[in-house]
Amino acid sequence: MTQEEKIKAQELGINTSGDLLDPRFDYVFKRIFTAHEKESKIALIDFLNSVLTGKKHTIVDLTVLNTEVPVETYKRKKSRFDIRVVFDNDEFALVEMELNKKDDFAKRSLHNISRMYSSQSINRLDYRNLKRCYMIGVMGYNILDDSFGYLNTFSFRDENGRELSDDMQVTYIELEKTAYLLEKLSEELTNAECWALFLRYASYNDKRQVMEKIAEKNRGVSMAANVLKYMSQSEVERMAYEDALLAEIDHEAEMDYKLKEQKKEIALRMLKRGTPIAYISEDTELTIKEIEELQAK
């Protein structure tokens, strides 16, 4: 990658300065849990058992339903970088890594878990046989306010907290809330905390000792670290990673351009209505100079 491309990647929140690839980039995240039949599977089972606080069943085995990582369709089918699994007790889970802030992620979570739940076949309209579904969002930003911790699970409850159903559970892991965990001794960390720290800091060279201690404590994290190390050292994996990263950079640039054009259209309409430029700038986030240039045209 060129220096300019690395800078653009960093602007998206992806760490490109470390020896290891950044697990928070969704391409890398999915490869960690699907690249190797044995190590990836052990890692994924341990990760899900660690973070799904609302489940009633310890996951012993699972099947990943979508192992492919289609770089060539990245911009058109980015959602295929999620991980869809079915457990040994026929329950389902959807895991997504979302590094950059998306205002619609909470609604998207509900939409996706609802689709997963309703896609189950129903024998003679016997809804009692529907299996529990889980949606896990690993976030590179905070979707909830500071009154929530880094790991939270939601289900259907009334205004007094009484549960209607736990058949659909949404879990958010907010990685930006995990810095305080670096101060804890490795033996004090829970499995969920080990995973949160690994995903947040594995690509940072100055956190290597912390990562090594976590890997010694947690077998699943150790397996994930092995896969990440392999990916980071493999020329083939590196090339595929860079292809995906450049596609993401192009996609974000395209989205930024479209958003800027929409803001310009809004600014023009406001100018025609005689709205003061200062107000237009505040509402559209365009600079005074940009608005004056539009006015001159």
Side-chain angles (χ1 to χ4, degrees):
M1 293 181 63
T2 66
Q3 187 61 31
E4 182 181 359
E5 289 167 345
K6 288 183 178 180
I7 292 172
K8 288 181 178 179
Q10 290 170 354
E11 289 174 351
L12 295 177
I14 301 167
N15 179 37
T16 59
S17 63
D19 296 329
L20 299 178
L21 302 179
D22 193 337
R24 297 172 301 165
F25 180 43
D26 54 4
Y27 172 85
V28 179
F29 180 84
K30 182 168 183 176
R31 288 293 286 164
I32 286 173
F33 291 117
T34 62
H36 290 275
E37 182 176 353
K38 182 179 179 180
E39 292 178 315
S40 294
K41 190 173 186 178
I42 292 172
L44 183 55
I45 289 174
D46 187 84
F47 171 71
L48 293 171
N49 275 324
S50 299
V51 303
L52 289 178
T53 58
K55 73 182 189 318
K56 299 176 181 178
H57 167 76
T58 298
I59 304 163
V60 178
D61 196 13
L62 56 75
T63 301
V64 179
L65 302 177
N66 60 333
T67 58
E68 76 285 349
V69 184
V71 174
E72 69 277 3
T73 58
Y74 191 96
K75 287 193 285 186
R76 289 185 289 109
K77 296 183 179 180
K78 191 171 184 293
S79 61
R80 290 178 67 184
F81 281 82
D82 57 20
I83 303 172
R84 301 171 187 270
V85 301
V86 56
F87 303 152
D88 49 303
N89 66 342
D90 295 329
E91 294 179 352
F92 297 89
L94 172 67
V95 188
E96 291 190 51
M97 175 71 234
E98 193 65 66
L99 178 57
N100 297 307
K101 186 172 183 179
K102 299 290 188 299
D103 293 334
D104 63 348
F105 191 81
K107 288 184 176 293
R108 196 171 85 197
S109 300
L110 295 173
H111 175 74
N112 288 341
I113 196 171
S114 299
R115 287 184 61 186
M116 185 165 45
Y117 191 70
S118 62
S119 67
Q120 299 179 61
S121 59
I122 304 172
N123 185 24
R124 296 183 180 180
L125 297 180
D126 189 354
Y127 293 94
R128 294 172 299 176
N129 293 324
L130 289 173
K131 299 297 182 179
R132 186 178 291 111
C133 294
Y134 306 88
M135 160 71 202
I136 303 99
V138 185
M139 320 300 295
Y141 60 95
N142 294 340
I143 193 172
L144 305 170
D145 63 46
D146 291 339
S147 66
F148 293 87
Y150 79 95
L151 175 62
N152 297 279
T153 295
F154 303 89
S155 59
F156 287 99
R157 297 177 182 272
D158 71 3
E159 64 275 13
N160 297 311
R162 294 170 298 189
E163 189 169 72
L164 169 66
S165 172
D166 64 353
D167 262 16
M168 289 191 282
Q169 298 183 20
V170 177
T171 295
Y172 293 133
I173 305 168
E174 298 172 296
L175 299 181
E176 289 304 295
K177 292 181 178 179
T178 61
Y180 75 97
L181 296 175
L182 293 169
E183 305 301 321
K184 296 181 68 171
L185 297 174
S186 59
E187 56 266 26
E188 297 175 346
L189 293 169
T190 66
N191 286 336
E193 290 171 342
C194 288
W195 275 108
L197 285 174
F198 169 77
L199 294 171
R200 175 64 180 86
Y201 295 108
S203 65
Y204 290 83
N205 291 341
D206 62 343
K207 300 296 187 296
R208 184 167 299 172
Q209 288 186 340
V210 177
M211 295 301 106
E212 289 174 353
K213 290 180 180 179
I214 290 173
E216 289 175 4
K217 174 183 173 61
N218 185 294
R219 182 170 181 248
V221 172
S222 177
M223 296 294 102
N226 289 342
V227 177
L228 180 61
K229 184 177 180 181
Y230 160 76
M231 290 178 58
S232 302
Q233 295 176 346
S234 166
E235 183 177 349
V236 173
E237 290 284 352
R238 275 274 182 179
M239 289 176 63
Y241 155 77
E242 290 185 5
D243 284 346
L245 185 52
L246 292 176
E248 172 73 355
I249 291 171
D250 289 344
H251 175 70
E252 290 298 322
E254 181 181 346
M255 296 302 293
D256 287 345
Y257 173 79
K258 290 181 178 179
L259 180 60
K260 191 68 170 286
E261 290 302 302
Q262 290 174 355
K263 289 180 177 180
K264 288 180 179 179
E265 290 178 6
I266 294 171
L268 282 171
R269 290 198 294 269
M270 294 176 76
L271 284 169
K272 290 179 180 179
R273 292 199 298 266
T275 307
I277 289 178
Y279 292 159
I280 298 175
S281 178
E282 183 177 346
D283 287 346
T284 63
E285 297 181 345
L286 295 174
T287 66
I288 298 294
K289 182 178 180 181
E290 288 173 328
I291 297 169
E292 288 175 343
E293 288 175 351
L294 286 173
Q295 190 177 40
K297 293 179 181 179

